[in-house]
Amino acid sequence: MSKPEMNVALVIGPDTDLDSQAIRNTLEYFGARVFTYWIGRPSDLIDVLNGNDLYPNTDMIVLNFHGDEGSLIMPELGEEVYEEGEPKGDFGPDEVRRFAKLDGKIVLGNGCSLGDPELAKAFLDSGCHTYIGPDDYPDGSSALMFTLRFFYEVIQNKKSVEEAFRIAKATDEETKMYQCYVKE
């Protein structure tokens, strides 16, 4: 294998496997090396967000989750299944601030309402350089299209993250929901 164009962490939440496979296959076709993380419990996500299970030299992180009211929807586990100290429920700004250490990373929160300003601020406060996500509830096909177009522009056309974001956002009315937050 020749040197990849970039290393991408694809972090997959519950019930997003079909679009996640499309993202992975397309990014690999574009020349990215994709590391896939299937999230089955909160500690799986924590280990990615705090860097313990994140592949070295990861350029970008895609959080491909369903979202609601500015939180990543997490799997529901039986009460007896949770590990001691493991948070229960969805991951919102408080959980991100508590667990994430994403120094200099670029994160795409690809799920409904994951571009909520408070969630974005939590990611930036956790060291993230750039955080992108929709501030409303886009159609699933539009969310997939945004992600593919964004990476197409970054990888194939060598656009900056900001320029690729502007191009992908301009695709249609649904993709206009995406917002880009950059650490000051």
Side-chain angles (χ1 to χ4, degrees):
M1 174 182 194
S2 60
K3 187 176 187 302
E5 293 289 325
M6 67 173 41
N7 293 319
V8 178
L10 177 58
V11 187
I12 302 172
D15 302 318
T16 62
D17 31 350
L18 190 58
D19 57 320
S20 294
Q21 291 299 331
I23 291 169
R24 179 180 180 168
N25 290 338
T26 303
L27 295 186
E28 288 177 347
Y29 187 83
F30 291 163
R33 179 183 291 149
V34 180
F35 298 94
T36 305
Y37 301 87
W38 295 93
I39 304 304
R41 60 179 316 119
S43 62
D44 296 337
L45 181 57
I46 290 168
D47 285 342
V48 172
L49 293 179
N50 67 20
N52 287 343
D53 195 26
L54 194 60
Y55 185 82
N57 302 317
T58 296
D59 299 299
M60 292 193 199
I61 300 170
V62 177
L63 300 172
N64 202 51
F65 277 73
H66 289 290
D68 189 34
E69 296 182 11
S71 293
L72 290 91
I73 296 176
M74 294 297 292
E76 291 183 32
L77 306 176
E79 197 64 35
E80 69 283 354
V81 177
Y82 285 98
E83 298 168 353
E84 187 175 329
E86 192 172 34
K88 299 172 183 152
D90 297 335
F91 261 62
D94 292 338
E95 290 76 19
V96 169
R97 282 190 181 93
R98 181 174 167 200
F99 297 110
K101 293 177 183 77
L102 297 166
D103 294 337
K105 299 296 182 203
I106 298 166
V107 177
L108 169 58
N110 197 41
C112 291
S113 76
L114 296 184
D116 177 83
E118 187 60 29
L119 183 64
K121 184 173 180 345
F123 273 99
L124 295 177
D125 290 346
S126 299
C128 206
H129 177 274
T130 304
Y131 183 82
I132 298 169
D135 63 1
D136 209 341
Y137 294 77
D139 178 76
S141 296
S142 296
L144 174 61
M145 189 64 215
F146 177 89
T147 302
L148 299 182
R149 183 65 190 266
F150 172 77
F151 278 100
Y152 177 80
E153 295 300 333
V154 169
I155 296 170
Q156 296 300 120
N157 292 331
K158 309 297 185 216
K159 301 286 186 186
S160 68
V161 168
E162 292 79 13
E163 183 63 20
F165 165 77
R166 283 192 292 279
I167 292 167
K169 180 176 177 150
T171 302
D172 63 22
E173 289 302 312
E174 294 284 309
T175 58
K176 286 182 182 170
M177 295 177 196
Y178 280 80
Q179 305 302 315
C180 183
Y181 304 88
V182 180
K183 191 172 190 99
E184 296 175 7

